[in-house]
């Protein structure tokens, strides 16, 4: 009776001749009205809920979408990695890394990216958006805590992106891979819609990675992508915010800081530097023990606890060895 009173079962049916349970009264009101102890009522309520659950289990369950989508998860990773940097929350970064590792386990199959988990049924080769967003996500994760395997994975994704999706004749990137099933038209979108344009995101990611590891083939592909849609972007820039961001990155390359040193001092510098960075700036804290580094990074060595190179495009300043000097340069 108390449960019926709380959830309206002592009233007329409230939804097409049946009851949709709705709490009409608080627990405190019921305890007073029925002179019950809280523990006594909650025990009764648990019994009723179990009866209802058993009855509900006889009904056909709603369909459950349990796919693991690569591009959507990559966007989540980007958000977590950005939040980790902004709020200095290592737990956010750890969650992003676990998600990234899960994607590598679930959606990287036979050295090829899948659009959704290989355990979700039909295996679909990844589309441009999957490669582009995942590449961006890895670069975001690398800024908080360096990981040699993640960098190697990023280079692998970038090479496949160029090999499978680039338009060698006109620039930019197709939505489907070169070996995708034959379509009436091979789409190559440039507009931002419900998600940012995969074409622009791919170019932005390649530009970032190219500047980091000194790979001009990546940055040239980003320039060609912008050139291929320049007329469209000029006519309707409000539909192409991602390409406008690429335009800004190409015309005014943002500062990126490469730091090499011992793990402990690097962590201390990270605590001071990351909160000072602007949204378009980046910093990579690379320990001396890092393995298999690209030549552009490997040549940056120092016998100091930490050394930092401020780079704009492919040009880097002389290294700074004192944290205060680096912070002053950032402020300037």
């Amino acid at each position: 009776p108390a449960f019926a009173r709380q959830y309206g079962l002592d009233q007329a049916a409230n939804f097409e001749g049946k009851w949709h349970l709705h709490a009409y009264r608080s627990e405190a009101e019921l305890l007073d009205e029925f002179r019950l102890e809280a523990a006594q009522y909650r025990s009764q309520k648990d019994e009723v809920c179990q009866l209802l659950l058993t009855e509900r289990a006889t009904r056909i369950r709603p369909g459950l979408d349990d796919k693991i989508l690569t591009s959507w998860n990559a966007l989540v990773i980007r958000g977590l990695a950005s939040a980790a940097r902004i709020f200095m929350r290592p737990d956010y970064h750890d969650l992003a890394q676990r998600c990234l590792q899960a994607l590598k386990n679930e959606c990287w199959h036979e050295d090829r990216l899948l659009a959704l988990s290989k355990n979700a049924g039909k295996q679909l080769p990844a589309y441009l958006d999957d490669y582009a967003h995942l590449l961006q996500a890895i670069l975001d994760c690398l800024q908080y805590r360096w990981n040699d395997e993640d960098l190697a994975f990023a280079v692998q994704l970038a090479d496949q992106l160029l090999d499978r999706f680039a338009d060698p004749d006109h620039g930019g990137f197709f939505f489907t891979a070169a070996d995708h099933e034959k379509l009436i038209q091979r789409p190559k979108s440039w507009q931002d819609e419900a998600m940012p344009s995969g074409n622009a995101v791919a170019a932005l990611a390649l530009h970032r990675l190219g500047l980091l590891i000194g790979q001009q083939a990546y940055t040239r592909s980003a320039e060609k992508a912008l050139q291929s849609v320049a007329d469209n972007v000029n006519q309707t820039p409000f539909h192409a915010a991602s390409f406008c961001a690429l335009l800004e990155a190409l015309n005014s390359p943002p500062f990126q800081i490469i730091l090499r040193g011992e793990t402990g001092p690097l962590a201390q510098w990270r605590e001071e530097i990351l909160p000072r960075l602007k949204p378009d700036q980046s910093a990579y804290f690379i320990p001396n023990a890092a393995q298999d580094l690209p030549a552009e990074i490997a040549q940056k060595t120092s016998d100091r606890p930490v050394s930092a190179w401020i780079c704009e495009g492919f040009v880097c300043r002389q290294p700074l060895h004192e944290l205060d000097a680096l912070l002053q340069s950032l402020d300037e």
Side-chain angles (χ1 to χ4, degrees):
F3 183 92
R5 183 74 166 161
Q6 183 173 18
Y7 288 97
L9 294 171
D10 59 347
Q11 305 176 27
N14 63 357
F15 183 76
E16 297 181 353
K18 300 181 180 180
W19 281 271
H20 175 77
L21 298 190
H22 169 75
Y24 290 92
R25 289 168 180 79
S26 68
E27 183 178 287
E29 292 175 308
L30 290 174
L31 298 181
D32 181 63
E33 180 177 350
F34 287 86
R35 301 182 182 280
L36 295 171
E37 297 292 333
Q40 182 184 6
Y41 173 63
R42 289 169 188 168
S43 176
Q44 294 178 8
K45 185 176 179 180
D46 288 343
E47 292 182 19
V48 174
C49 286
Q50 186 58 50
L51 287 171
L52 292 174
L53 181 62
T54 301
E55 179 63 25
R56 189 176 67 177
T58 65
R59 293 155 53 182
I60 298 174
R61 294 184 65 86
L64 176 64
D65 185 349
D66 59 357
K67 296 189 300 293
I68 297 176
L69 298 174
T70 300
S71 60
W72 288 13
N73 274 274
L75 288 172
V76 173
I77 295 171
R78 291 205 67 190
L80 288 168
S82 297
R85 294 196 311 273
I86 293 169
F87 300 112
M88 298 306 298
R89 289 285 299 269
D91 54 330
Y92 291 168
H93 174 78
D94 292 342
L95 184 55
Q97 280 294 130
R98 289 201 300 273
C99 187
L100 176 58
Q101 187 60 48
L103 282 187
K104 291 170 70 174
N105 294 338
E106 294 283 341
C107 302
W108 182 251
H109 186 55
E110 296 181 351
D111 289 331
R112 181 157 188 171
L113 192 63
L114 302 177
L116 67 163
S117 166
K118 64 178 181 286
N119 296 323
K122 184 178 180 181
Q123 295 181 2
L124 300 176
Y127 300 97
L128 173 64
D129 289 19
D130 301 300
Y131 278 88
H133 290 300
L134 186 55
L135 181 54
Q136 282 278 55
I138 294 173
L139 291 171
D140 286 338
C141 286
L142 284 172
Q143 289 189 61
Y144 190 87
R145 188 178 300 143
W146 187 261
N147 185 299
D148 296 337
E149 292 183 2
D150 287 350
L151 178 64
F153 188 38
V155 172
Q156 200 170 4
L157 289 175
D159 289 342
Q160 288 198 14
L161 199 160
L162 288 176
D163 182 55
R164 299 181 188 277
F165 296 91
D167 182 347
D169 298 323
H170 304 101
F173 306 94
F174 294 105
F175 181 69
T176 56
D179 56 354
H180 193 272
E181 63 180 289
K182 200 70 174 178
L183 303 175
I184 296 175
Q185 179 197 22
R186 194 178 177 195
K188 187 169 69 170
S189 175
W190 58 274
Q191 290 179 309
D192 292 322
E193 298 179 7
M195 290 172 62
S197 163
N199 210 328
V201 174
L204 278 164
L206 287 168
H207 182 64
R208 291 177 65 191
L209 181 60
L211 294 180
L212 174 62
I213 67 174
Q215 179 54 271
Q216 295 191 24
Y218 294 166
T219 58
R220 284 196 297 268
S221 68
E223 294 170 3
K224 289 181 65 177
L226 180 61
Q227 292 167 0
S228 71
V229 299
D231 291 340
N232 292 330
V233 174
N234 282 330
Q235 292 175 17
T236 55
F238 291 116
H239 295 165
S242 296
F243 267 113
C244 290
L246 175 62
L247 172 64
E248 183 178 17
L250 291 173
N251 284 342
S252 302
F255 288 123
Q256 71 172 3
I257 309 171
I258 307 296
L259 300 100
R260 299 296 309 275
E262 299 301 325
T263 303
L266 275 177
Q268 296 173 2
W269 284 47
R270 182 180 64 195
E271 295 289 322
E272 296 290 337
I273 292 169
L274 286 183
R276 286 175 160 82
L277 293 181
K278 296 178 181 178
D280 62 341
Q281 296 174 338
S282 56
Y284 299 91
F285 303 84
I286 308 171
N288 289 335
Q291 301 292 318
D292 301 323
L293 293 173
E296 186 68 20
I297 299 176
Q299 67 184 4
K300 294 178 170 61
T301 59
S302 174
D303 57 0
R304 305 291 186 91
V306 177
S307 295
W309 289 260
I310 296 179
C311 305
E312 187 175 10
F314 290 108
V315 179
C316 298
R317 303 179 187 177
Q318 289 297 313
L320 299 172
H321 309 294
E322 300 295 334
L323 178 58
D324 289 342
L326 178 57
L327 296 178
Q328 182 178 351
S329 295
L330 289 178
D331 292 339
E332 293 172 353

